Amino acid sequence: MGRLYANAFLSNGWKRVNVCDLPARYEELQQELADSGLNVLPDGYAVSRRSDFIVYSVEAANIDAVVRMYGPATKLGAAVCGQTSVKEPEIRAFEKYLPSDTQIVTCHSMHGPRVNPKNQPLVIIRHRSDDESFNRVVRILSSLKSDMVYLNYLDHDRITADTQVATHLAFLSMGTAWTVQRVYPWENPSYVGGIENVKTLMTLRIYSNKWHVYGGLALLNPSARPQVRQYANSVSELFKLMIQEREVEFRARILAAADFVFGRQKNCQLLLSDDLMDKFSLSAIPREMRKPNSHLSILAVVDCWYSLKIHPYDHLICQTPPFRMLLGLTEYLFLAPGMLEDAIHAALYNRDIRADDCEFYTATRGWVECIELGSMEGYQRRFQQTAAFFEDRLVHGAKVISARFTLLVLKFNTA
């Protein structure tokens, strides 16, 4: 993300864009960016001493240590910004280590470095600044051509937890379940066609990124824990009703969740269609050969929102591409004719998929236990073990996946 920002600033006419990485990478970065127009400096001290606007592009888990090291060198009167996805630790570090004259205007681009920032949400948080500094930071960040949203850091953390935690946990658990089963979903008729294509695409997308992108939000955002627990409870409670074939209770719970989340959306045009999703298949298995699926992972997302009284459409100001994709999937499952009834019937009476649902339930529980322990090392190990299973396929299909994902994002931006 740091490189994306630096290039955007340079392209928009800001003349002196100073950049650095770890000191050990100084010479390597000099060669890599030799003809870029960026001014490569040895370390954060050099950047901090001479820059009027400073962006810390580091992992949330490392923000305290990095600001402690370089913050005291901040140029007199400079504005400082961070790019972490969890703002409470970032703000705490800024307040603790930055000089009192430093202006604090931080931000969060609600997308990854491979997504075009144009028209994507960009949260701007004015924490400690005068009008002149704040306006200058806004002018600089306008280089990204993103849609600016103004929040305080507490609201940011609450809304990002509401939109992202269940999203990430659902796709992470899908990937782990497939890994345990040693199943590539595009080779299995249970995961082919329509909604399955996007679930597979999004899972691969997440596991092709760096683990800390998701680990920081799950482990460091205080607002994330209730979501994590509730999503796990939703998976567990729905699964118990399924295996006991308690149709009346299962159906009542699903329909209550559907009415709460989608009651105002029933006459709206769906973001996704079967034909559109079939264009993004990674499988050679024909659509007509696909098998029924309970879509437990998606049912549990909506049940989680309902249980926590979260209206996802109220949080679109801070939407990420994965959240928008998940919302499109839930819309399609709950509002497309016949889809929800097929899923309910499969969940209760199709015993051929019970093993798959059991693995998903177990994977979800494993992820939640890992998060509850608060171990970054454990999260990293679990993430990388699953990513390794898909590694060869990710390398082989990375460009295709990225192109298809971009097309879907464009579709959402024009919806």
Side-chain angles (χ1 to χ4, degrees), residues 8-62:
F9 299 157
L10 193 66
S11 298
N12 210 51
W14 296 96
K15 299 299 183 183
R16 192 73 170 176
V17 181
N18 302 315
V19 299
C20 73
D21 201 334
L22 296 171
R25 289 201 65 230
Y26 175 50
E27 293 183 0
E28 178 186 345
L29 197 64
Q30 278 186 310
Q31 296 176 2
E32 190 176 331
L33 301 179
D35 300 318
S36 67
L38 299 172
N39 185 38
V40 180
L41 296 174
D43 54 32
Y45 292 113
V47 171
S48 295
R49 290 300 295 158
R50 67 191 70 189
S51 302
D52 296 302
F53 176 56
I54 302 160
V55 180
Y56 283 82
S57 185
V58 300
E59 300 96 324
N62 295 331

